[in-house]
Structure formats: structure tokens, C-alpha cells
Amino acid sequence: MTWCLSIHADYRCRHAGACCRTPWEVPVEADVYRRLRDVDGGGRFVATGNMVHVGRDADGVCLFLDRAAHRCAIHRDHGPGLLPVACRMFPRVFLHDARGGFISLSHYCPTAAALLFEDGPVAIVPASSTLVDVGELDGLDARQAWPPLLRPDVLMDLDAYGRWEQLVIGLLGSAADPRRALDQVDAATQRITQWSPGETPLVDAVIRAFAQGDEAASTVDDDALVRLVRRAASDPSGRKALTHMPGAIGRWLAARAFACWIAYQGRGLRTIVLYLRACLAVLAAELAQNGGRVDRASAIEAIRRADLLLLHQADSAALAASLDRLANQP
């Protein structure tokens, strides 16, 4: 079974073209290149060493984009089966573990970002055909990996991790104040990480910790978290703006908590919580660039920039390692 968040269940490509207009490198798999070269002649590709990438014009726009129709010529003429994997999967963020498949979305896609502003509860639901029917789902494959760590020296079981993830998403997705909700997640997680085998079952400890509802302020400065994320991307004011659209921002945080690669790349629940704090800090920094505007359009652009950095430019494994050091420092 493949699962998604309820806020993403109705996602369908609306051909906004943002992915086609962003000058990132899109690698083309060898079999896809050979098939497209046979029908297209290969003139819209660029070879660099042993790699082939989709070509772009002087504006950084993909050469396969039909600008008038806002449509990908490959998708239009040959169907999704001939798309490079990066194009076929976007904006999907896929995690596969022993429980099944999990799809979140990158809100760098304007269509995905707009879904955050639709009211309603956030829940984990079966993924719709529009999310999964894009061929083989590619992402982080953790099916043979150990479950996420509770702390550096203790593994979780998947039932307990699944319940933690569910409670985090429920709290963030319904938050009237995202920063306060994240403080509540932090406090509950700190209690959970004190658990030891032989006591109550871990899943019961998770449920009990979230029921207490108290808060724990971060000991890490927001600006330090923003710098940490930017360092992982090879490449602070705004906190008040977070309070103007708490529903959309809470739902965005829930999406970053769901299908989270950091759970398998990091070394404990505290690392995931610190990642969520980093996400919120990055968004606050992006909102600050809007000159104080907090309307829906400017918020969407800030969310898009945040996900571009967090999901597409930052190396998630390097980011997890840096967050581990912060989370587990004395």
C-alpha cells in the first residue's frame, strides 16, 4: 500500500511549468536517452562526460517545453513512460520502507503549494492514482534498512515510529500556531527519547508523551539552522509572518514530517524534530524577503523557495549528519 497526506490526495499536474523553467540539471537515463534520440534526433540533450542531461535555452528553460501550451513535448508526444525519472517523479518525494510506500510533495510546484491553503484536517490516507500512476516510484528505498533510531544507541520499532509520525502530523496539521505546535512536538519527543527497553511498550510511551501537551523551546538559534541548511545546499526576521497563515504553514510542516528521509539518514527522533525546526526557520527567512507582505501569493512563493532549498538543493544525507551533531551535542 502507498500512503500520502490528505492535503495531497487530490494533486494533479496543472502544467504550471515551474519545473521546466528552473535551470537545474535533469539527468537522462541511458535507456530513455536512446529511445528519445531515435525519435527526436538527440539535438535537445547535452552530454557531460558519461552523463546526459536535458538541454536548456539561454533563459534556462527546458528545450522540451512547449511554451505556448505550457506542456512538456515528451509527455505530450510519448507519454510519461519516456520522461526522465526526475521529471516523472516531480513533485513527488517518495520513501519506501517495510511498512509500504509513502509520498509527500515538494511545494516548489505551485500547484502543490496551493493545496496547503485548502482548509481541513490532515490525515494519512491511501495515495490516489494520480500520485502513484507515474511508472516505477523512485526515491529513498529503506525496505532493507533498520527502523529509524529513537536515539543514537536505541532502535525504534516501526509501529512506534508510525504512531510518532501520525501524532506529529496531526499536531502540526491542525496548528493555530506552528511554532508552538513544534515546541509541543519537541517536548513530547524529548520524553520519548528517555524510554528504555523493558519498561512500557514504546508505542504506549509515544501516545502518553503527546497526551501531556507541554512545550519545549529550541536551544538552537534559528539563524544557525538556516545557515546549516544553506551549507548543505552547496551553494531573520519574518517570524511574525508565520502567525498570519498558521493553517497553511502547519500543513506544510506536516508534509515535511511525512515520508521524511531524515528519519532513516539521521540518528534519532531529536534529529527529525531539529530538521522540522530548520524547515520553519528557513521559511521564516524566506517570508522575510517578501518585504512584510503576508498575502497568499507571497506566502506561496516563500514556501516554494523553502522547498527548493530543502528538498532539491540541500544534500539530505549531509544535512542529517549536521543536524545529528546539533541534536546530540552535550
Side-chain angles (χ1 to χ4, degrees), residues 51-81:
M51 293 294 297
V52 176
H53 296 87
V54 172
R56 297 188 176 275
D57 65 17
D59 297 323
V61 177
C62 177
L63 295 177
F64 285 98
L65 177 65
D66 180 339
R67 294 197 188 210
H70 299 282
R71 297 293 298 271
C72 168
I74 299 174
H75 193 284
R76 180 195 64 204
D77 298 339
H78 308 293

Side-chain angles (χ1 to χ4, degrees), residues 4-260:
C4 71
L5 294 184
S6 52
I7 55 173
H8 293 153
D10 292 332
Y11 172 81
R12 287 173 176 75
C13 179
R14 303 298 183 192
H15 308 291
C19 50
C20 307
R21 291 183 169 85
T22 301
W24 44 29
E25 287 191 340
V26 175
V28 183
E29 294 71 35
D31 59 329
V32 172
Y33 171 63
R34 285 192 295 268
R35 294 168 67 188
L36 284 173
R37 183 186 57 190
D38 291 342
V39 297
D40 184 70
R44 289 187 274 190
F45 298 100
V46 175
T48 306
N50 296 325
M51 293 294 297
V52 176
H53 296 87
V54 172
R56 297 188 176 275
D57 65 17
D59 297 323
V61 177
C62 177
L63 295 177
F64 285 98
L65 177 65
D66 180 339
R67 294 197 188 210
H70 299 282
R71 297 293 298 271
C72 168
I74 299 174
H75 193 284
R76 180 195 64 204
D77 298 339
H78 308 293
L82 267 187
L83 287 172
V85 169
C87 300
R88 180 167 53 79
M89 287 297 297
F90 185 83
R92 296 159 186 82
V93 179
F94 184 64
L95 168 67
H96 202 169
D97 67 17
R99 300 171 296 164
F102 302 86
I103 295 179
S104 189
L105 296 182
S106 164
H107 304 99
Y108 181 65
C109 168
T111 302
L115 296 175
L116 296 170
F117 292 82
E118 298 180 3
D119 291 333
V122 181
I124 300 172
V125 299
S128 60
S129 60
T130 58
L131 285 175
V132 300
D133 290 348
V134 292
E136 183 179 358
L137 295 169
D138 184 73
L140 182 65
D141 188 345
R143 283 174 291 185
Q144 303 303 317
W146 292 106
L149 288 163
L150 175 68
R151 55 180 185 265
D153 58 342
V154 178
L155 282 169
M156 298 192 78
D157 61 86
L158 284 174
D159 285 344
Y161 176 71
R163 182 56 63 92
W164 180 85
E165 181 183 48
Q166 182 183 53
L167 290 167
V168 168
I169 288 165
L171 191 57
L172 296 176
S174 61
D177 180 340
R179 188 175 292 277
R180 182 179 179 187
L182 197 46
D183 288 344
Q184 291 176 316
V185 169
D186 202 343
T189 300
Q190 288 187 37
R191 284 192 294 274
I192 296 165
T193 56
Q194 301 306 309
W195 176 89
S196 295
E199 301 176 356
T200 186
L202 180 54
V203 67
D204 292 344
V206 169
I207 295 169
R208 188 169 62 244
F210 275 87
Q212 294 186 30
D214 53 350
E215 303 170 20
S218 175
T219 58
V220 182
D221 178 70
D222 278 3
D223 291 340
L225 290 170
V226 174
R227 290 193 298 271
L228 183 148
V229 174
R230 295 196 187 283
R231 282 198 301 271
S234 62
D235 190 357
S237 53
R239 296 181 187 177
K240 187 176 180 181
L242 294 174
T243 65
H244 287 269
M245 297 181 178
I249 292 170
R251 288 187 281 273
W252 174 73
L253 273 178
R256 296 288 63 84
F258 184 70
C260 182

